[in-house]
Amino acid sequence: MIPKIRLITEKDSYRLTGDGADIEIANRLLRAIELRGLSKHTVRSYGFDMVIIFRWMHRTERKLKPLTDADLMELIAAQRTAKAAAKTINRRLLVSRILYRYAYNKEIPSAPGVSRAARHYIGQKYDPYLGIFTVRRAGKLKLSVKDDSKLIEPLTATQVNELLRLTTRYRDTLIVLLMLFCGLRSHEILSLRLVSMDLRERSIRIMGKGR
């Protein structure tokens, strides 16, 4: 029987439910992230990803310490079956490596049968300051899946005017204008308060990503 692993809030902090040394390590990592001052959104994102990772580990009878890159390939396969997006899979691979590094102060071991992206040869690389010393290239690339970038098509002037025509309240119009012309994200809009606005200075204080 797979134990119920969930992310809960306890005393204004996030933690995972469940038993075992691996869950304890995960909860210590969440606390360490909070102590670093990262936003609650970031901590919650780490927590949800670790819930998915631990549920997969319990379902496949895996433990944290023996994990290798070959195991991460199986995690990729499970996430593909669950129809997870490429960005989501890569983020969960990253969280797996962060959790392992936090627990054992080393990287997840390599293993045979793992396919990684190959580096493109672009010649020797020199230091950015004097330009006379060659810089040693980093080691092998981390395991990841291909992420097809989506081309974002901006709204046309006609579409913008139609959107503004449909807004009937000043608040809604302000939200649309802030997102269109100032590039605010949805969570930045939701975090706005009256104290965020300084009418005298004609400015708005925005708490950006990770704040």
Side-chain angles (χ1 to χ4, degrees), residues 65-198:
K65 192 170 185 178
L67 282 183
T68 66
D69 277 351
D71 294 303
L72 294 187
M73 289 292 292
E74 295 305 316
L75 174 60
I76 292 174
Q79 290 295 286
R80 290 288 196 192
T81 302
K83 307 296 184 184
K87 286 184 182 296
T88 301
I89 296 175
N90 285 333
R91 190 184 67 245
R92 286 170 183 166
L93 291 172
L94 175 61
V95 171
S96 300
R97 289 193 290 267
I98 291 173
L99 179 61
Y100 193 93
R101 191 184 310 131
Y102 175 82
Y104 308 112
N105 196 30
K106 62 180 181 179
E107 299 296 329
I108 292 179
S110 182
V114 176
S115 173
R116 291 186 182 84
R119 291 188 180 278
H120 297 287
Y121 179 74
I122 56 174
Q124 286 186 323
K125 184 178 180 181
Y126 295 90
D127 72 280
Y129 303 106
L130 297 178
I132 58 177
F133 300 107
T134 57
V135 178
R136 185 177 180 179
R137 289 186 172 276
K140 58 189 176 185
L141 296 175
K142 300 296 184 183
L143 181 62
S144 63
V145 299
K146 184 179 179 182
D147 181 13
D148 294 323
S149 300
K150 296 181 180 179
L151 182 62
I152 299 176
E153 296 183 5
L155 296 176
T156 64
T158 302
Q159 291 171 326
V160 171
N161 289 331
E162 179 65 18
L163 181 59
L164 291 173
R165 188 182 67 80
L166 294 174
T167 58
T168 57
R169 293 187 292 180
Y170 289 125
R171 186 204 65 173
D172 298 340
T173 302
L174 176 61
I175 289 174
V176 171
L177 292 176
L178 285 173
M179 297 185 77
L180 281 175
F181 299 117
C182 299
L184 267 67
R185 304 177 180 89
S186 57
H187 75 272
E188 292 170 343
I189 289 289
L190 293 173
S191 65
L192 286 178
R193 299 293 183 268
L194 287 176
V195 294
S196 305
M197 304 180 187
D198 189 333

